[in-house]
Amino acid sequence: MPDFRELISDNRVHIFDGAMGTMLYSKGVYINRCFDELNLSNPKLVLDVHKEYIKAGAEIIETNSFGANQIKLTNHGLQEKMVEINREAVRIAREAAGEKVCVAAAMGPLGIRIEPYGPTSREEVKDMFKRQAEALLEGGGVDCFILETFSDLSEIRQAINAIKEISSLPVIAMMTIQTFGKTSFGTSPETFTTQLDSWGADVIGLNCSVGPQDTLEAIQVMASLTEKALCAQPNAGLPREVDGRKMYMCSPEYMAKYAKRLIQTGAKFIGGCCGTTPEHIRLISNAVKAIASPSTKISVSAPQKQEAEVQPVPVEERSNFARKVSRSEFVTSVEIVPPKGCDPTKMLESVKQLRDAGVDAVNIPDGPRAQSRMSALSTAILIQQNISGIEPVVHYCCRDRNLLGMM
């Protein structure tokens, strides 16, 4: 059986498998099913998918356990079978892998918000990851753990800690980014690469969400920040709707071309995520063989920008409003409503009258009277730009905005 640490340290590029979910769906399993439960109800189907990827050239296959944690299984009423599902996931993968292919125990995010974004504590999260990791170890034959498709750094940190408390096996830590180059929590590759490195991940990488082009750009940045081995498992592009179907548009040939670029940038492990098939992996494997020579790591360095030292401004110097408050002086504020249309002239005249009457500030409600009006922020900017001697105070309602929108 291969030692995964030897794969990390040798001078070769190694191939992961592709999308388990995509293949199961293509074989008639509907998306409302729990794909992890198929380890119990249809193990042969899962085994066949593993074998197809190995035949295509995969040297490392992932267990069918991405969503087999307590929270996600509870959504299907399968929480009592958590240990059995994970144990069987390893057994099936090991049977397919034999003695020449590595088995990576796959674990995904819990699908809940943890503190400070939600009510679940970090200790609770670590305990849930630990229980799944223990169940995977019970299956025997695990060569490493792979944590994939994580967006929240705090969550993946608890997963890493949970595994390291019970096992000395290597840990692959994989984040996922959006088309704007950061995670959905706004974390940049610069940040999560250095953090995952410091937390003891043996391999650091990206998977899912975006296609190979965005993955390549992020891997270029990551390669300059860590000496750890890098792993890239992009989607076959972003899905598009074609005649009512969600189709992944990156062809196997396109993915293979980018596999070469990822290797030249410094990726040590290459595979695929959603939308990739054994044909994608076959051509990626051929691309790796064509390169043959030891991978060259290209260092990409960004110019170091010297940030100016920021000195905090004393409260009384921030504004006239703040100065009065800090001196315990009386402050007057009048609430106004943003204009209904695009012409702010009448509103600005009213604000000038308030200023001339000695009012210190106007506060601008967000969405007053449930009417369609100019945004509170735009109104405040107009006042700030056009009228001196009075200050706008912006209201910001969180009710109809999600976290990303507020950021």
Side-chain angles (χ1 to χ4, degrees):
M1 187 182 303
D3 183 342
F4 192 79
R5 291 194 185 277
E6 292 181 4
L7 270 60
I8 296 175
S9 60
D10 68 19
N11 207 23
R12 292 179 52 237
V13 175
H14 299 282
I15 309 299
F16 265 88
D17 55 7
M20 173 62 75
T22 296
M23 291 299 294
L24 293 175
Y25 179 74
S26 71
K27 294 177 183 296
V29 181
Y30 291 109
I31 57 174
N32 60 349
R33 286 283 304 274
C34 175
F35 283 13
D36 308 285
E37 188 276 336
L38 293 170
N39 298 332
L40 304 181
S41 61
N42 198 344
K44 185 179 184 304
L45 183 62
V46 178
L47 180 68
D48 289 344
V49 173
H50 285 318
K51 288 181 176 180
E52 286 184 56
Y53 279 121
I54 292 171
K55 185 178 180 180
E59 301 170 78
I60 309 131
I61 59 172
E62 298 182 25
T63 58
N64 181 37
S65 56
F66 171 77
N69 58 62
Q70 179 182 335
I71 297 295
K72 289 188 174 179
L73 290 178
T74 298
N75 296 335
H76 295 277
L78 295 167
Q79 63 273 21
E80 299 300 324
K81 296 184 177 181
M82 191 268 289
V83 173
E84 188 180 0
I85 288 172
N86 282 281
R87 194 166 52 206
E88 282 300 294
V90 176
R91 185 196 64 77
I92 295 168
R94 188 76 268 167
E95 180 181 343
E99 296 298 318
K100 295 183 179 180
V101 173
C102 285
V103 171
M107 297 170 63
L110 300 176
I112 56 174
R113 293 292 178 88
I114 69 174
E115 57 182 6
Y117 304 107
T120 310
S121 72
R122 292 184 178 88
E123 282 301 316
E124 290 176 302
V125 168
K126 185 172 77 169
D127 183 62
M128 284 185 272
F129 281 126
K130 185 183 291 187
R131 275 183 272 172
Q132 185 184 3
E134 288 172 339
L136 288 163
L137 288 172
E138 285 185 23
V142 171
D143 298 300
C144 63
F145 282 90
I146 181 165
L147 306 171
E148 54 185 357
T149 325
F150 280 79
S151 297
D152 184 355
L153 258 183
S154 180
E155 184 178 18
I156 198 170
R157 182 179 189 179
Q158 299 311 313
I160 293 170
N161 291 342
I163 293 169
K164 288 191 172 293
E165 285 186 8
I166 61 172
S167 172
S168 60
L169 290 174
V171 176
I172 305 168
M174 307 275 283
M175 300 295 289
T176 187
I177 58 172
Q178 306 299 310
T179 52
F180 51 85
K182 298 181 179 181
T183 73
S184 57
F185 282 73
T187 309
S188 68
E190 291 90 342
T191 299
F192 64 67
T193 301
T194 54
Q195 291 283 40
L196 293 174
D197 193 332
S198 67
W199 293 336
D202 298 278
V203 178
I204 299 169
L206 293 172
N207 78 297
C208 202
S209 288
V210 294
Q213 171 61 44
D214 294 302
T215 300
L216 174 64
E217 292 175 2
I219 289 289
Q220 287 174 335
V221 174
M222 295 166 66
S224 67
L225 299 169
T226 181
E227 293 299 318
K228 297 289 180 67
L230 296 177
C231 182
Q233 298 186 45
N235 278 0
L238 293 173
R240 296 182 185 178
E241 188 163 323
V242 180
D243 293 332
R245 296 182 179 181
K246 295 294 184 182
M247 306 290 287
Y248 288 89
M249 308 306 290
C250 288
S251 67
E253 293 79 9
Y254 183 84
M255 291 280 284
K257 180 175 71 174
Y258 268 93
K260 292 181 180 179
R261 295 179 181 178
L262 285 162
I263 293 166
Q264 291 166 349
T265 301
K268 172 78 173 176
F269 297 94
I270 303 287
C273 202
C274 303
T276 56
T277 65
E279 182 61 15
H280 288 84
I281 299 304
R282 185 180 70 80
L283 292 191
I284 289 173
S285 177
N286 290 344
V288 171
K289 291 175 183 176
I291 293 177
S293 59
S295 61
T296 302
K297 187 171 183 179
I298 300 173
S299 177
V300 180
S301 60
Q304 295 297 317
K305 183 179 178 182
Q306 185 67 34
E307 297 290 344
E309 185 176 354
V310 178
Q311 296 292 339
V313 179
V315 173
E316 61 273 11
E317 295 180 15
R318 294 177 188 174
S319 66
N320 185 54
F321 190 113
R323 182 167 55 255
K324 280 194 168 186
V325 171
S326 66
R327 295 175 179 177
S328 299
E329 296 178 12
F330 192 77
V331 181
T332 54
S333 174
V334 174
E335 182 175 292
I336 65 168
V337 292
K340 288 184 179 180
C342 299
D343 184 4
T345 305
K346 185 176 179 181
M347 178 271 297
L348 292 173
E349 287 299 324
S350 299
V351 174
K352 287 179 182 177
Q353 293 175 17
L354 291 171
R355 177 202 60 189
D356 295 341
V359 174
D360 297 297
V362 287
N363 62 83
I364 308 158
D366 189 6
R369 303 175 185 173
Q371 293 177 330
S372 177
R373 294 174 178 268
M374 185 181 293
S375 78
L377 182 59
S378 298
T379 303
I381 290 172
L382 288 170
I383 294 171
Q384 187 80 30
Q385 291 176 339
N386 292 281
I387 305 174
S388 60
I390 192 166
E391 298 170 31
V393 179
V394 182
H395 295 206
Y396 190 85
C397 179
C398 303
R399 179 183 60 244
D400 298 317
R401 295 180 172 96
N402 59 26
L403 181 64
L404 185 60
M406 287 187 282
M407 286 180 176

